[in-house]
Amino acid sequence: MDLNTVAEILDARQPTPWRPGDAWLGGGTYLFSEPQPHLRRLVDLSRTGWTPVELHPDGSLEIAATCTIAQLSRFAQELTTTAAPLFEQCCRAFLASFKIWNMATVGGNLCNALPAGPMISLTAALDAECLLLSQDGLRRRVRVADFVTGAGRKDLAEGELLRSITVPARALTCRTAFRQASLYGLGRSGVLVIGALDPLDGSLALTITASTVRPFRLWFPLPPTAEELRTAIASAVADHDWFDDIHGLPEWRAHMTFRYAEEIRRELGETAA
């Protein structure tokens, strides 16, 4: 879609004072999907030259905000860590065309903060951390689970930039379990639940997305009983936290979340035992 209110496209490599009506341009799959009458300038990140994905010597994995879904998928196919399959599962949760795969970025998916964003699901489940850069050069780090604060809302100040997302080395060693549901075959995720079992201490993290307005990451020092798990989810997710739109009623989303959480508890709990 043409954005007929945009008068300039600026190169992000050239510092330019931020002003109202500016927006960062990554892949543009959202920006160009619907009218953006409030925008006047786009600051293009495509020429920054950031390495899409990098495995650091300490074992952590850094994903640039400009990394496309296709680039992340190709990189993950070479990963040999235990959690590697989760990357492809979440990339496939887009159910998107090859055009979207090759243009949509990991950073854009997080910054859109949609409940069904599968890159939010992936990085929150692996306890990843966002690196944010402000206009005055200050840096701050926020866990992905805290970065997305609601449907379409995120902890991002005016002009602040999501630079990268870092997955800790320990999370990559976790055994994971993935469950996803949609109301129809090629539909947007209505429920997406991920479990991660830490081999070092036997702890279990359960991450709930798509069915809720924001990510919920529940941590248990040891795999819980069925009753403990249900109680923890019911205590963490309030009635108003269940998402309600055309892709699923809150009651259905809650029912499927509890069902999938129990399936994951059994799957990973048996592994721990």
Side-chain angles (χ1 to χ4, degrees):
M1 172 177 289
D2 291 335
L3 302 181
N4 56 19
T5 61
V6 173
E8 290 182 86
I9 297 181
L10 308 176
D11 189 333
R13 296 173 299 177
Q14 306 300 322
T16 304
W18 193 265
R19 67 191 191 194
D22 287 355
W24 299 108
L25 172 62
T29 54
Y30 164 70
L31 281 179
F32 290 99
S33 69
E34 59 183 46
Q36 309 286 347
H38 62 291
L39 296 184
R40 300 294 178 269
R41 302 193 305 181
L42 300 180
V43 184
D44 185 10
L45 297 167
S46 64
R47 300 177 186 177
T48 53
W50 297 336
T51 302
V53 198
E54 185 176 6
L55 193 60
H56 292 302
D58 65 358
S60 64
L61 186 69
E62 184 175 12
I63 308 168
T66 50
C67 174
T68 67
I69 307 309
Q71 288 171 327
L72 182 62
S73 173
R74 286 194 295 268
F75 183 90
Q77 290 171 17
E78 304 298 324
L79 270 181
T80 57
T81 57
T82 308
L86 183 63
F87 287 80
E88 186 67 11
Q89 288 171 320
C90 289
C91 286
R92 293 292 170 184
F94 271 99
L95 299 173
S97 70
F98 76 93
K99 293 180 181 179
I100 298 297
W101 258 52
N102 283 278
M103 291 301 297
T105 62
V106 175
N109 194 246
L110 266 70
C111 289
N112 278 342
L114 298 178
M119 295 297 100
I120 298 171
S121 307
L122 169 67
T123 52
L126 295 179
D127 201 23
E129 192 176 62
C130 299
L131 172 60
L132 307 176
L133 308 180
S134 68
Q135 288 294 301
D136 56 10
L138 294 179
R139 297 181 170 215
R140 66 186 180 102
R141 294 185 180 274
V142 180
R143 293 173 64 238
V144 172
D146 299 322
F147 177 71
V148 178
T149 59
R153 303 199 310 269
K154 61 274 185 184
D155 180 11
L156 198 63
E158 183 69 19
E160 200 168 28
L161 172 66
L162 172 59
R163 168 62 180 85
S164 62
I165 306 96
T166 300
V167 178
R170 185 165 173 172
L172 294 173
T173 68
C174 290
R175 179 179 173 84
T176 61
F178 175 95
R179 296 292 190 280
Q180 177 198 20
S182 175
L183 287 178
Y184 38 98
L186 296 178
R188 179 180 292 181
S189 297
V191 182
L192 206 163
V193 185
I194 297 171
L197 182 69
D198 191 323
L200 295 182
D201 61 9
S203 63
L204 174 67
L206 187 85
T207 304
I208 302 167
T209 54
S211 58
T212 50
V213 295
R214 63 176 179 85
F216 284 86
R217 190 174 191 272
L218 309 180
W219 183 83
F220 304 90
L222 292 172
T225 64
E227 185 58 33
E228 289 171 342
L229 179 61
R230 288 190 65 86
T231 299
I233 296 174
S235 298
V237 185
D239 290 344
H240 63 267
D241 289 322
W242 297 107
F243 193 46
D244 183 7
D245 73 349
I246 194 173
H247 300 284
L249 293 173
E251 294 80 6
W252 172 76
R253 294 178 191 264
H255 171 77
M256 294 302 296
T257 296
F258 281 104
R259 172 180 167 177
Y260 285 160
E262 174 58 17
E263 288 182 7
I264 288 173
R265 184 193 72 84
R266 292 181 181 180
E267 178 181 334
L268 296 181
E270 289 174 359
T271 300

